[in-house]
Amino acid sequence: MADTPQETLANLLSEERTFPPSPEFSKSANVTAAAYDEAAADRLAFWERQARRLDWSKDWDRVLDWDDPPFAKWFTGGELNVAANCLDRHVANGLGDRVAIHFEGEPGDTRAVTYAELLDEVKRAANALTDLGVEAGDRVVIYMPMIPEAAVAMLACARIGAPHSVVFGGFSVSALSSRIQDAGAKLVICADGGFRKGRPLALKPTVDEALESCPSVEKVLVVTRTGQDVGWNDRDVKWEDAVGGAAAEHEAQAFDAEHPLFILYTSGTTGKPKGILHTSGGYLTQASYTHHAVFDLKPETDVYWCTADIGWVTGHSYIVYGPMSNGATQVMYEGTPDTPHTGRFWEIVQKYGVTILYTAPTAIRTFMKWGDDIPARYDLSSLRVLGSVGEPINPEAWIWYREHIGGGSVPVVDTWWQTETGAIMVSPLPGVTATKPGSAQRPLPGINVDVVDEQGESVPNGGGGFLTIREPWPSMLRTIWGDDQRFLDTYWAHFDGMYFAGDGAKKDDDGDLWLLGRVDDIMLVSGHNISTTEVESALVSHETVAEAAVVGASDPVTGQGIVAFVILRGQAESSPEHLAELRAHVAKTLGPIAKPRQVIVVAELPKTRSGKIMRRLLRDIAEDREIGDVTTLADNTVMSRIKSGLQAGK
Ligand code: WT7
């Protein structure tokens, strides 16, 4: 990481376009501008009011205990059951017949699961887990495709106070076993397999192999999804038998507000994965409030769809805990956006009348590349809020999203947060904020985020530096599982009394926040720190470019030189003149300092399984080195294709 950049980040990109909410939207919005004032007047009282959105069995004594920073405790003394807040209370309020999940399997099979049905299944699953010897505090690893049982498994764990650790279904044997070992899990819940890209993809054999080195695991609970042949061991139990045969009644017991809810491992590219620990009361408060505020959810009428996988924090906070605590009706889709055809997402939006869509920039740029004509074939007029998360969204991708998916009128909310923050921290409010393409804009009410220089001093508007969080927040990580020291070293050692998120950011002249990517990706060109994100956004603003990844390659003259890898839109063709034009376009947009030394056209980019570009590997190509560790790539053959494509083009 660039611990001491010579200069704060250059502030290159500027954006003039803004889109205020329509008066009709503002009029019926869940949250108004008053929320900012209320939170500013008394931050803890604000969060206390949000906690009242939930049902507590016992009230708290203190809103925040920050006596031993940075180890926070929220709503101390309070007790609640997280699953009961997501299910029982809705059913008790007469909403049992509301659809909780419209499930769409990749092969086209569908299921509508109501809140009453979900509660029934979760109660049985809770009883089944207890029958299998799982007690409060025991860890359960979940390794599943995107099927309703994944949510059932999480909620059943929450119900009995057994922290879950969901491992993304695409992870390998070693990634799975190291997480099971670190968590010391007693039980694994998996499926035989899931459907992906038109084929059944087995999961159970990966579990079997992983368990060869996981002595803590006593039982494996296996959901039948694909029905494919998988090996069977003495410790294996069929979900259908155990859950189907379990008692239907289950009284949810309340747990302490600080009872561990889940551990989620961040897929660090190097070193041992970090088990991010989230607890119950504060986490659910912020997940629930932000889902209500940022997406303006009207549970009676909205159909919400978050396209993330349950294996990422987005799936935890914005498929399971946020939406379900709010009684939302949502779509859950098992497969990929191009199976069986590239219009699948829009077909699903049309079919279910999706009103709120939450997806990632990597998906949006892929849709841009596939062409405008594909979404144009579907009726997307039900949509009324569009969200983005996971990476900085380039202004042109933002505009494309608003125009081609949102019909030119739907508010786009760019939400910044992390596995560690547990819930959204920075985002526009769709009924309040005049949105600005590419900017996540303002910390949410009750959140204190800042951009600071190397000394930890707040930078003025127009300045750039490091994104930090100045005050504890309810859904903050409590520690790294089993490693308090690493928690301190990783997040709290850079700036005194502040959480450092690892991201670079700037404040524009209006004070709006722009995320500039991870600081380890930031380039140093002739003594200037330049953000990869800004150069990428400049490239994507050229009509021929769908996606760009930029790296700093060592350069004898400038320290680092900017090398850009670009994917072209639709049918665009390249030529030496075109590449020169792209370089000139960046220079014109951002200034000569940001002009790429080289632009390389590629067909694909290396991405992690959660869709983040792995610039480290592109740097290896730009510096003509042996390519480094590719194990965390979604497709680990992509680097050899990029390399051979380059050689063919030489
Ligand atoms: C990192 C956290 C939060 C859920 C998904 C990712 C990047 C995330 C944005 C955004 C710019 C973003 C940051 C952050 N990031 N959202 N709206 N704008 N960057 O969770 O895997 O823990 O990754 O994702 O670099 O630190 P995660």
Side-chain angles (χ1 to χ4, degrees):
M1 193 196 83
D3 249 344
T4 51
Q6 296 169 6
E7 211 176 280
T8 15
L9 268 164
N11 196 347
L12 299 173
L13 201 69
S14 70
E15 179 60 62
E16 300 294 323
R17 296 167 288 191
T18 59
F19 300 90
S22 73
E24 304 82 72
F25 197 110
S26 296
K27 209 166 66 207
S28 53
N30 285 352
V31 176
T32 68
Y36 293 109
D37 304 330
E38 288 164 18
D42 188 341
R43 211 173 74 84
L44 295 185
F46 171 83
W47 283 119
E48 184 160 34
R49 279 196 300 282
Q50 307 319 322
R52 296 260 174 246
R53 299 168 43 76
L54 308 176
D55 277 359
W56 295 75
S57 310
K58 180 168 170 281
D59 249 359
W60 49 89
D61 315 310
R62 271 175 95 180
V63 178
L64 169 66
D65 171 349
W66 192 235
D67 296 347
D68 180 24
F71 297 96
K73 296 192 182 106
W74 282 85
F75 308 111
T76 52
E79 290 182 6
L80 80 173
N81 186 287
V82 168
N85 269 283
C86 294
L87 302 171
D88 304 49
R89 63 172 177 151
H90 305 317
V91 176
N93 287 337
L95 305 175
D97 290 339
R98 180 182 291 167
V99 173
I101 301 174
H102 286 293
F103 171 68
E104 177 87 16
E106 202 192 67
D109 57 317
T110 61
R111 271 155 76 186
V113 186
T114 65
Y115 272 96
E117 289 165 344
L118 196 59
L119 174 58
D120 179 67
E121 182 91 351
V122 167
K123 283 181 171 175
R124 289 176 192 276
N127 283 324
L129 292 180
T130 306
D131 295 344
L132 290 170
V134 180
E135 291 173 13
D138 289 341
R139 277 81 60 207
V140 174
V141 162
I142 298 174
Y143 185 69
M144 303 264 272
M146 281 293 288
I147 55 175
E149 286 79 2
V152 171
M154 291 165 74
L155 290 162
C157 288
R159 194 171 184 90
I160 62 168
H164 54 71
S165 185
V166 182
V167 178
F168 173 59
F171 275 145
S172 64
V173 170
S174 66
L176 177 60
S177 62
S178 63
R179 285 160 175 76
I180 295 173
Q181 286 162 7
D182 189 78
K186 193 169 185 179
L187 182 95
V188 174
I189 308 178
C190 70
D192 50 358
F195 291 99
R196 213 184 145 71
K197 292 203 179 283
R199 282 192 307 269
L201 187 79
L203 292 170
K204 173 79 168 38
T206 309
V207 174
D208 291 341
E209 209 180 322
L211 292 193
E212 285 169 18
S213 57
C214 300
S216 64
V217 175
E218 294 171 8
K219 296 279 180 198
V220 180
L221 194 51
V222 189
V223 177
T224 306
R225 167 61 182 146
T226 59
Q228 64 201 119
D229 260 342
V230 289
W232 207 256
N233 306 300
D234 289 346
R235 62 175 175 242
D236 300 340
V237 180
K238 265 192 188 315
W239 172 280
E240 293 72 20
D241 297 342
V243 176
E249 264 326 301
H250 185 274
E251 193 73 44
Q253 174 202 337
F255 293 97
D256 191 272
E258 285 298 334
H259 188 80
L261 178 62
F262 66 86
I263 303 165
L264 186 58
Y265 287 86
T266 51
S267 39
T269 45
T270 51
K272 193 172 145 219
K274 300 188 282 283
I276 304 302
L277 176 68
H278 284 288
T279 59
S280 302
Y283 169 80
L284 193 65
T285 296
Q286 194 174 330
S288 185
Y289 171 70
T290 53
H291 183 257
H292 159 85
V294 172
F295 300 108
D296 193 49
L297 179 89
K298 308 283 195 281
E300 308 77 32
T301 47
D302 275 318
V303 179
Y304 166 85
W305 183 21
C306 168
T307 68
D309 191 279
I310 235 147
W312 314 124
V313 73
T314 311
H316 286 58
S317 303
Y318 298 105
I319 294 178
V320 179
Y321 295 112
M324 292 189 182
S325 66
N326 290 331
T329 294
Q330 66 180 312
V331 171
M332 176 188 268
Y333 173 54
E334 179 184 32
T336 51
D338 55 355
T339 306
H341 57 82
T342 49
R344 187 70 190 266
F345 269 30
W346 318 123
E347 186 180 73
I348 291 174
V349 168
Q350 175 177 294
K351 175 173 174 187
Y352 294 99
V354 172
T355 57
I356 305 170
L357 178 69
Y358 194 26
T359 192
T362 177
I364 297 164
R365 292 186 303 248
T366 303
F367 300 138
M368 285 171 78
K369 182 173 67 190
W370 288 343
D372 307 349
D373 54 315
I374 293 164
R377 288 179 209 142
Y378 299 88
D379 179 3
L380 307 180
S381 61
S382 55
L383 288 166
R384 64 178 203 91
V385 180
L386 296 174
S388 171
V389 63
E391 279 183 296
I393 178 164
N394 321 96
E396 288 317 312
W398 191 106
I399 291 280
W400 186 91
Y401 194 27
R402 184 179 158 96
E403 289 295 318
H404 294 278
I405 307 306
S409 62
V410 172
V412 173
V413 289
D414 174 15
T415 63
W416 179 87
W417 58 295
Q418 308 177 295
T419 304
E420 291 87 340
T421 69
I424 299 173
M425 302 293 279
V426 181
S427 169
L429 289 175
V432 179
T433 319
T435 53
K436 204 184 263 184
S439 169
Q441 299 195 292
R442 287 182 71 176
L444 289 178
I447 298 296
N448 191 341
V449 165
D450 201 3
V451 182
V452 302
D453 63 17
E454 298 91 278
Q455 280 73 46
E457 298 294 333
S458 189
V459 305
N461 286 354
F466 305 90
L467 192 79
T468 58
I469 308 173
R470 287 186 174 276
E471 306 258 21
W473 62 101
S475 64
M476 67 193 281
L477 77 165
R478 297 305 193 258
T479 188
I480 291 174
W481 181 254
D483 201 344
D484 287 348
Q485 192 56 47
R486 193 167 176 209
F487 169 65
L488 296 171
D489 296 344
T490 308
Y491 304 108
W492 301 92
H494 302 274
F495 300 105
D496 203 25
M498 280 181 265
Y499 170 90
F500 174 51
D503 287 351
K506 69 180 188 184
K507 291 180 191 166
D508 69 14
D509 292 337
D510 302 325
D512 283 324
L513 295 175
W514 291 74
L515 275 300
L516 299 177
R518 309 291 300 176
V519 292
D520 0 39
D521 286 333
I522 282 162
M523 304 173 289
L524 189 57
V525 182
S526 306
H528 295 272
N529 280 108
I530 295 183
S531 125
T532 50
T533 301
E534 290 195 312
V535 180
E536 287 161 6
S537 289
L539 285 160
V540 174
S541 75
H542 191 276
E543 63 200 11
T544 59
V545 177
E547 184 152 27
V550 160
V551 298
S554 60
D555 186 291
V557 182
T558 55
Q560 282 190 319
I562 300 175
V563 178
F565 296 80
V566 297
I567 297 178
L568 300 183
R569 268 169 101 150
Q571 308 307 315
E573 296 260 357
S574 195
S575 63
E577 295 72 37
H578 171 245
L579 296 180
E581 184 186 317
L582 292 181
R583 296 175 60 230
H585 176 75
V586 175
K588 196 172 95 218
T589 314
L590 298 178
I593 182 76
K595 185 173 183 173
R597 182 179 82 184
Q598 192 184 3
V599 178
I600 301 169
V601 174
V602 290
E604 42 194 339
L605 289 168
K607 291 189 181 160
T608 64
R609 291 178 170 85
S610 61
K612 293 191 207 305
I613 297 169
M614 282 190 75
R615 293 180 185 74
R616 168 173 71 77
L617 299 174
L618 294 172
R619 222 174 291 134
D620 292 340
I621 289 197
E623 297 183 339
D624 211 7
R625 259 200 306 273
E626 208 42 39
I627 289 168
D629 185 3
V630 295
T631 47
T632 57
L633 281 179
D635 169 2
N636 58 22
T637 59
V638 61
M639 289 314 293
S640 45
R641 281 199 299 280
I642 293 176
K643 252 197 138 156
S644 53
L646 294 183
Q647 261 131 23
K650 264 185 188 160

